[in-house]
Amino acid sequence: MGKKTILYRGNLKSCNYNCSYCPFSKHKPLKQELEQDRQNFQRFCKSVEKRAEEYSIGAVFVTPYGEASIHSWYWEGLAHLSGLSEIDRVGMQTNLSVSFVLPELSRFAARSSNNVDNCIAYFDFCGGKREKLCIWATFHPEMTDADTFVSKCHKLAAHHIRLCVGAVGVPENIPLLRKLREKLSKDIYFWINRMDGLRRNYSFDEIRAFLELDPFFEYELQKPAADVTMCQDRCFVEADGTIRTCNISRRTSVNWYDDGGSKLFEPRCSQKSCSCYLAYGGRADFDLKHVFGSYPVFRIPKRFRAVFLDLDGTLTPKGDKKGISEQICGTLKALKRICPVFLATSLPEIEVRRRLKKNLDLFSGGIFASGAYLYLNKQTESSGGEISALCYRKKDESSDALECALFGSEKVYPAEIRSLSEIARFAEEAKARIQIYRKHGMIYKVTLIKRRYGTWNNRECSRIAELLEPSGCRFFTEDNCLQIVDKKRNKGTAVEEVCEWIGISPEDVLAVGNDKEDAAMESVCGAYIHRRKT
């Protein structure tokens, strides 16, 4: 059980935009309606202040029907909540119009005519902690142009405000969304929401286009089955205190303002599936939780400086030799705009080249044979700019580090097997063929391959362990293959080495994998995603 996330939706049902598809743009609020909304939100904020410690509340997220950022009380309330020591994150969904004008802002308005500047200044004025504020900004092409919207996003970023930016995945808007992505800083995550009411499935080309914009768009196309056991650390509170588990679940019988105790967070759900981000992104089993941090509903990923991706079983189906699908290529292109992307595979380099062919250019380099061979493109972008071909000195042959040889932006770790003839005899006994992989004349991997669907039993594994014990090698099995590499090499040590090459910390790295060999990356990287299926 972690800290709780509370989503709040008041009775605000009006907006300063008049998008053609939105019912809330048609409603013109009365003064008493706005006053009631103000009172309701202030009541809610006071209740959170009293209960934050008791119920371990860590985040509050305003998700209104209408537009909240144009009303001062939302900035005031979030500022107050951000000052509580128990609260780690506060935020709101907004169209980023932030157009309200208040007498209290007069001192700031003279300083800047930009409403973003004024709103953040007002947030500060109310005691807000900027480092806790998160903004979920949605682009509405009917109401604003890309340049104006991007300017506001960059203003927020300049104020050190966490934000994400996105839009509804309207197929006709793809060219405009591409321009918006190009104009946005690469540090800002750009998401795409699946379009409701399309009355057809997205085409293959549309999916590929959206994946090139949003590397995580594939999750919008999935609808995980509802599971209330995954929703015990959140609830959704309405203006009158009505509680739902999330924005699409049914109402519960417990009211936020009653003394409901632990029942406040007893999940109830009538949905068959979690069909929107606020629903699936708030689940405890959300695959991207390590990417988006402790409070993934805000949709703001950690700032990764490199991504390492397993190939077989992660980017491609297990054992598939057809290469990366065009949809996955779209995801890789989107990731590459953000930071360098590297392969991290147990496959030898020659096999990877055979499978990927021209798609290998999507990567800035690679870890092959579980770290026995490393390769870096001659120009790979890092936080310090472009790195030209890396220059290393060959290690002193008298040193105990003769295990590796350096060739510019490559590194080979030989598999020093004492007796290949014994390994060959063992392979013959096990009815397996032997494949030896070399680089620059050095053996860096040996693979024993049984017939398809063959497996390696405990007796055979014990025997190969005996044969390898005098050498500096280890082995691992993958389906019908038994792999032999340098004992000190694994994907984790290789990630650390590549990070040193490009001048970043493994803590700033995201890794994605699907099996035991990938677990070594999980132990050193700042975030790790275990792919359950391809």
Side-chain angles (χ1 to χ4, degrees):
M1 300 289 283
K3 296 185 77 172
K4 305 292 193 295
T5 298
I6 313 297
L7 277 68
Y8 176 83
R9 176 172 289 161
N11 48 16
L12 182 68
K13 293 180 173 62
S14 57
C15 183
N16 59 331
Y17 278 4
N18 58 357
C19 299
S20 59
Y21 60 87
C22 180
F24 305 109
S25 65
K26 313 298 186 294
H27 179 70
K28 302 302 179 185
L30 301 173
K31 286 185 178 180
Q32 53 265 39
E33 289 177 333
L34 294 178
E35 176 59 22
Q36 185 64 54
D37 185 63
R38 183 185 68 82
Q39 292 179 13
N40 286 339
F41 187 57
Q42 288 178 341
R43 180 191 183 195
F44 170 74
C45 291
K46 289 177 182 178
S47 72
V48 171
E49 181 179 9
K50 292 179 181 179
R51 295 179 167 190
E53 183 176 4
E54 179 183 0
Y55 294 118
S56 189
I57 299 172
V60 174
F61 190 19
V62 175
T63 60
Y65 279 132
E67 178 55 36
S69 73
I70 60 176
H71 302 295
S72 63
W73 52 88
Y74 284 103
W75 293 97
E76 292 170 8
L78 292 178
H80 178 70
L81 292 176
S82 73
L84 303 178
S85 59
E86 296 83 7
I87 300 294
D88 302 316
R89 296 283 183 270
V90 298
M92 72 171 89
Q93 291 178 326
T94 171
N95 60 28
L96 218 55
S97 55
V98 290
S99 59
F100 74 89
V101 179
L102 297 171
E104 294 94 331
L105 284 177
S106 59
R107 70 179 66 184
F108 308 116
R111 185 190 310 166
S112 173
S113 60
N114 187 294
N115 279 317
V116 172
D117 288 336
N118 294 336
C119 288
I120 299 306
Y122 188 63
F123 181 81
D124 293 343
F125 176 73
C126 296
K129 305 293 183 183
R130 292 190 191 186
E131 66 273 15
K132 296 184 181 183
L133 180 61
C134 300
I135 296 296
W136 167 316
T138 304
F139 177 62
H140 296 268
E142 288 185 50
M143 300 303 302
T144 187
D145 61 88
D147 287 330
T148 300
F149 184 79
V150 168
S151 175
K152 291 179 179 180
C153 294
H154 289 168
K155 275 284 185 180
L156 284 170
H159 285 299
H160 305 290
I161 305 299
R162 290 183 173 89
L163 79 154
C164 67
V165 171
V168 176
V170 180
E172 292 77 11
N173 289 343
I174 288 174
L176 176 59
L177 298 179
R178 283 174 174 154
K179 289 181 181 179
L180 181 62
R181 172 65 272 182
E182 290 171 2
K183 292 175 181 292
L184 279 170
S185 165
K186 70 176 185 178
D187 293 332
I188 297 175
Y189 169 50
F190 185 62
W191 47 262
I192 300 294
N193 272 353
R194 184 188 68 251
M195 179 181 176
D196 293 328
L198 188 59
R199 297 182 180 178
R200 64 170 176 82
N201 293 328
Y202 283 121
S203 70
F204 179 85
D205 288 340
E206 289 165 353
I207 292 174
R208 182 177 60 182
F210 289 134
L211 282 169
E212 290 181 4
L213 294 168
D214 175 3
F216 305 123
F217 179 68
E218 63 174 301
Y219 289 89
E220 278 290 294
L221 303 179
Q222 303 169 9
K223 293 184 179 180
D227 183 352
V228 293
T229 65
M230 295 294 109
C231 302
Q232 298 177 9
D233 289 335
R234 61 165 168 177
C235 72
F236 186 94
V237 181
E238 296 184 349
D240 62 357
T242 296
I243 290 180
R244 304 174 187 268
T245 298
C246 74
N247 58 310
I248 62 173
S249 68
R250 66 180 174 88
R251 295 183 174 188
T252 69
S253 59
V254 181
N255 189 282
W256 177 258
Y257 298 108
D258 295 338
D259 187 18
S262 60
K263 292 184 178 179
L264 293 172
F265 295 95
E266 285 186 1
R268 299 284 189 277
C269 187
S270 59
Q271 297 292 320
K272 292 182 179 180
S273 62
C274 300
S275 57
C276 76
Y277 184 82
L278 290 180
Y280 69 77
R283 291 172 51 138
D285 62 348
F286 181 36
D287 283 349
L288 299 181
K289 193 167 186 178
H290 292 300
V291 175
F292 290 99
S294 300
Y295 305 103
V297 292
F298 291 108
R299 218 168 188 170
I300 301 174
K302 300 175 183 177
R303 292 184 177 178
F304 299 110
R305 299 172 71 183
V307 177
F308 288 80
L309 303 169
D310 173 51
L311 178 60
D312 196 27
T314 300
L315 293 179
T316 63
K318 195 74 174 177
D320 186 281
K321 297 184 179 181
K322 296 179 181 178
I324 299 173
S325 70
E326 289 198 44
Q327 289 188 12
I328 296 296
C329 286
T331 298
L332 293 173
K333 289 176 183 177
L335 284 172
K336 199 171 181 180
R337 290 193 188 100
I338 301 170
C339 62
V341 179
F342 297 91
L343 273 172
T345 177
S346 61
L347 294 170
E349 181 245 4
I350 190 171
E351 176 62 24
V352 173
R353 289 190 180 277
R354 187 180 296 122
R355 292 190 189 189
L356 299 191
K357 299 176 182 175
K358 63 180 181 180
N359 286 334
L360 197 58
D361 293 339
L362 292 169
F363 301 92
S364 300
I367 293 167
F368 306 94
S370 289
Y373 173 59
L374 313 180
Y375 171 78
L376 186 70
N377 287 349
K378 290 186 182 292
Q379 287 191 331
T380 296
E381 188 174 339
S382 75
S383 57
E386 291 188 342
I387 301 176
S388 59
L390 298 175
C391 296
Y392 292 96
R393 295 178 181 175
K394 289 189 177 180
K395 298 198 174 190
D396 187 338
E397 294 187 2
S398 64
S399 75
D400 58 4
L402 189 58
E403 59 195 7
C404 63
L406 305 174
F407 299 90
S409 52
E410 298 176 272
K411 199 165 186 180
V412 183
Y413 287 86
E416 296 183 343
I417 301 174
R418 296 290 176 88
S419 177
L420 268 176
S421 59
E422 288 188 1
I423 300 296
R425 282 196 297 272
F426 167 77
E428 186 177 357
E429 293 170 3
K431 296 181 180 180
R433 62 184 175 89
I434 186 168
Q435 182 72 51
I436 299 173
Y437 298 97
R438 292 180 171 85
K439 198 71 181 178
H440 302 295
M442 293 174 289
I443 297 172
Y444 70 95
K445 182 181 181 181
V446 175
T447 301
L448 308 185
I449 309 167
K450 286 193 174 185
R451 290 182 178 180
R452 193 176 184 185
Y453 305 121
T455 58
W456 294 90
N457 59 44
N458 291 336
R459 181 184 61 80
E460 291 169 329
C461 289
S462 297
R463 177 58 180 154
I464 196 68
E466 291 175 6
L467 292 174
L468 294 176
E469 187 175 2
S471 70
C473 295
R474 70 178 179 96
F475 79 94
F476 57 95
T477 60
E478 292 180 324
D479 300 322
N480 63 327
C481 295
L482 188 149
Q483 323 273 14
I484 301 172
V485 296
D486 182 275
K487 183 181 293 185
K488 297 179 182 178
R489 304 308 297 165
N490 60 54
K491 292 185 182 182
T493 57
V495 165
E496 290 178 316
E497 196 160 7
V498 172
C499 287
E500 185 178 355
W501 284 7
I502 63 176
I504 66 174
S505 167
E507 283 294 315
D508 298 324
V509 162
L510 166 66
V512 185
N514 74 305
D515 60 25
K516 292 181 180 179
E517 275 299 291
D518 300 313
M521 295 193 291
E522 183 176 10
S523 65
V524 301
C525 296
Y528 176 80
I529 299 174
H530 178 80
R531 293 282 292 187
R532 300 177 187 179
K533 60 180 180 179
T534 55

